[in-house]
Amino acid sequence: MKIAHILIVLVIAALTLGCIGNKQAETRSVDTVVQPAQTTIAPSVTAVPGVDDPFGTDMDVAALDSMLADSTMDISLMDSI
Amino acid sequence: MKNINWLLASLVTAVFILSMFSGYANAQTPEEQYNLYKEKYENAKKRFEDARGIFEKARERSGNINDIRSKEELKNRTKDYLLRAIDQTISHLEILKYRVELRENKDIIKFDASGTIEDQISQLEGMKVKVEGAETAQDFRTIYTELKDLWINIRLETRYYIGIVLNYRINSFLEKVDNVSIKMDEAITKLDSKGIDTTKLKAEADKFDSIVAEAEANQKKTDDLFEVHNGFSSDGTVTDVSAAREFLRQGDELERGTIKTIKEAAKQLKDFVKEFRKLARGLVTIEGGSTETLSGI
C-alpha cells in the first residue's frame, strides 16, 4: 500500500514538473525530417511558418545566421603573460 | 485523514527533490539545449574577460611594487586568467560539438569532427591540472604558449567544421528555393487560367529567380573552395596554418555573401506572395495551405 502511495506521488510530481511525458523534440523532428537538409529545428530559431512566411524561408535564414554567428566566436587572449 | 496528510507531505517532498532536476528535464528541445550551452559560453566569456582585467592590473602593480605579497597576488591572478581562458575555450568547443553532433548534421561532415573536439577538450582539461600545479613564471609561460598554440588549431578546425555544415545548409536552402520557383510558376499559371493579369507578378518572380541565380553562382565558388580545403587534411586537421587561414577567410567571405543574397531572395519572395494574394483574393492558393513549408514540398 505504501509503495503504491510513493509511486503515485512520484508520478504526479514528475508530471507536474515535466520530467516525464516530454519526449525529446529531436526525436519528434526526426519523424518529420526527410533528409538532413531540412533546417526546421535549427538551434536558436523558434519561428514557425506562418502567413507572412508561407515557405518557412525566414526560419532557414535565421538558422544560417545563427550558425554563422557561432563560427565567429573568438577569445581575446593576450599576446604574452 | 492521516493518509491524505501523508500523501500531501510526500508530494511536497517529491516536488522539491524533482525540481532540482527539472532544469535538465525541461531542456529537451535542441533549441533549449543549444541555449543552455550558449548561456554557459556567455558566462564563461564574461568570467574570462573579468579575470583578464584583474590580471592586467595585478601585473601592472607587480611591476611597480616588487614585494612578496604582490608577487603572490600576481601568481594567483595569472592562474585565474589561465583557468578562465581554458574554461571559455571549453565552452566554445561544447557549442560546436553540439552543432556537429545534431542528428540532422551528423552525416554532413565526413570525418570524426566530434572525436577531434573531444580530444581538444581533454587536452584543455589536462592543461587546467597543469595550471593548478604551476608555481613559477616560467611554468605559466610554458602553459600559456601551449594554450595559444592549441587555440590556433581549435579556432581553425572548428571554423572549418561549421563552414562545412553551413555550406551544406546553404546548398539545401538553394535546392528548396528551386522548388519555390516551380510553385511560383504554377501559381502564375493558375491566375492566368482565370484571366487575371499577372504581368506584375511575373516581374516579381523574375526578380526572385535572378537573385537566386546570383546566390547559386556565389555558392558554386564556395563549393569549389571546400572541395580543395587548402590547409586541411582529409580528416579535418590543420596541415598548414597560413593556407588554412586563407582558405577559411575566402570561405567565410563567400558564405557571408551568399547568405546576404539569400536574405534578399527571402524578402523578394515575400513581395511575390503579397502581390499574389492581392490578385488571387483567396480564390487560388499558392502553397496549398498557409502552414505548408518548404520542408513539406
Side-chain angles (χ1 to χ4, degrees):
Chain A
M1 187 66 181
K2 216 166 190 180
I3 290 170
H5 273 149
I6 290 168
L7 278 173
I8 291 166
V9 164
L10 279 173
V11 168
I12 292 169
L15 278 170
T16 311
L17 292 164
C19 294
I20 58 171
N22 280 336
K23 274 193 171 180
Q24 281 277 345
E26 198 178 353
T27 314
R28 254 198 333 265
S29 72
V30 171
D31 295 339
T32 56
V33 167
V34 177
Q35 52 172 327
Q38 291 171 346
T39 52
T40 50
I41 55 151
S44 80
V45 180
T46 52
V48 288
V51 176
D52 294 334
D53 183 25
F55 295 106
T57 47
D58 281 355
M59 291 165 67
D60 294 330
V61 168
L64 293 175
D65 261 346
S66 163
M67 212 177 283
L68 195 63
D70 280 357
S71 77
T72 59
M73 286 189 304
D74 208 344
I75 183 169
S76 53
L77 289 174
M78 295 162 71
D79 290 338
S80 60
I81 58 169
Chain B
M1 187 67 188
K2 195 181 166 190
N3 269 349
I4 290 169
N5 282 342
W6 181 87
L7 199 68
L8 279 174
S10 308
L11 196 58
V12 169
T13 312
V15 167
F16 174 74
I17 293 167
L18 287 169
S19 68
M20 293 193 287
F21 304 98
S22 62
Y24 295 97
N26 289 332
Q28 285 181 334
T29 67
E31 186 199 332
E32 285 167 343
Q33 284 168 3
Y34 171 80
N35 286 339
L36 280 181
Y37 282 122
K38 196 78 181 170
E39 196 183 321
K40 189 182 167 196
Y41 171 79
E42 293 302 336
N43 288 336
K45 189 178 176 189
K46 169 87 175 55
R47 281 198 293 270
F48 163 71
E49 278 160 9
D50 289 348
R52 178 185 159 141
I54 294 167
F55 165 69
E56 280 175 323
K57 278 181 193 156
R59 191 165 68 166
E60 204 182 306
R61 268 199 304 275
S62 164
N64 298 332
I65 314 160
N66 196 14
D67 60 4
I68 293 170
R69 198 176 152 193
S70 59
K71 274 185 179 173
E72 190 59 30
E73 193 203 348
L74 181 62
K75 190 175 112 180
N76 290 332
R77 299 307 179 199
T78 310
K79 208 172 255 194
D80 205 38
Y81 168 68
L82 283 168
L83 290 172
R84 298 291 82 83
I86 294 169
D87 281 344
Q88 191 194 322
T89 312
I90 291 174
S91 293
H92 173 106
L93 285 170
E94 282 172 346
I95 290 182
L96 299 174
K97 184 169 179 284
Y98 176 75
R99 281 269 193 208
V100 301
E101 284 180 354
L102 266 178
R103 203 181 289 255
E104 70 265 28
N105 290 341
K106 267 206 162 170
D107 298 325
I108 298 173
I109 300 177
K110 301 296 175 200
F111 46 82
D112 186 14
S114 178
T116 305
I117 294 176
E118 260 173 38
D119 289 346
Q120 287 164 338
I121 291 175
S122 299
Q123 282 185 65
L124 288 162
E125 293 290 356
M127 229 176 258
K128 278 171 89 169
V129 176
K130 284 187 200 170
V131 173
E132 293 290 0
E135 286 296 328
T136 66
Q138 188 52 46
D139 289 344
F140 288 119
R141 274 196 288 270
T142 306
I143 299 166
Y144 196 58
T145 306
E146 199 186 328
L147 174 65
K148 285 187 79 181
D149 288 346
L150 181 61
W151 172 247
I152 290 171
N153 276 6
I154 287 174
R155 180 88 180 97
L156 293 171
E157 286 167 6
T158 52
R159 275 176 71 196
Y160 178 41
Y161 306 159
I162 293 298
I164 293 171
V165 177
L166 195 54
N167 207 31
Y168 186 89
R169 297 260 165 246
I170 292 171
N171 277 316
S172 304
F173 182 85
L174 292 172
E175 276 172 32
K176 283 183 186 179
V177 292
D178 277 346
N179 287 329
V180 171
S181 224
I182 294 167
K183 292 269 178 190
M184 287 161 95
D185 290 343
E186 284 171 1
I188 291 169
T189 309
K190 279 182 195 171
L191 291 180
D192 277 340
S193 69
K194 290 194 179 296
I196 298 169
D197 180 8
T198 57
T199 313
K200 199 177 169 199
L201 195 62
K202 279 176 187 159
E204 298 284 9
D206 288 345
K207 199 173 168 192
F208 174 79
D209 288 342
S210 150
I211 297 170
V212 171
E214 190 190 323
E216 280 171 345
N218 204 50
Q219 183 56 17
K220 172 78 177 63
K221 291 181 198 165
T222 320
D223 284 338
D224 293 344
L225 196 74
F226 273 79
E227 192 66 40
V228 181
H229 54 79
N230 266 336
F232 290 93
S233 67
S234 54
D235 69 357
T237 53
V238 175
T239 52
D240 180 335
V241 169
S242 61
R245 271 201 187 115
E246 182 53 19
F247 156 59
L248 291 171
R249 189 195 63 74
Q250 289 178 23
D252 185 66
E253 200 177 297
L254 285 167
E255 285 181 333
R256 278 174 195 279
T258 310
I259 291 173
K260 195 176 162 217
T261 315
I262 278 174
K263 284 180 181 172
E264 283 172 35
K267 189 176 168 292
Q268 181 56 31
L269 178 60
K270 281 185 177 173
D271 288 348
F272 175 90
V273 172
K274 206 170 145 190
E275 180 62 21
F276 172 82
R277 290 201 169 128
K278 207 162 78 184
L279 295 174
R281 292 174 190 169
L283 297 172
V284 182
T285 55
I286 184 172
E287 64 284 72
S290 63
T291 55
E292 186 175 349
T293 67
L294 278 175
S295 56
I297 290 172

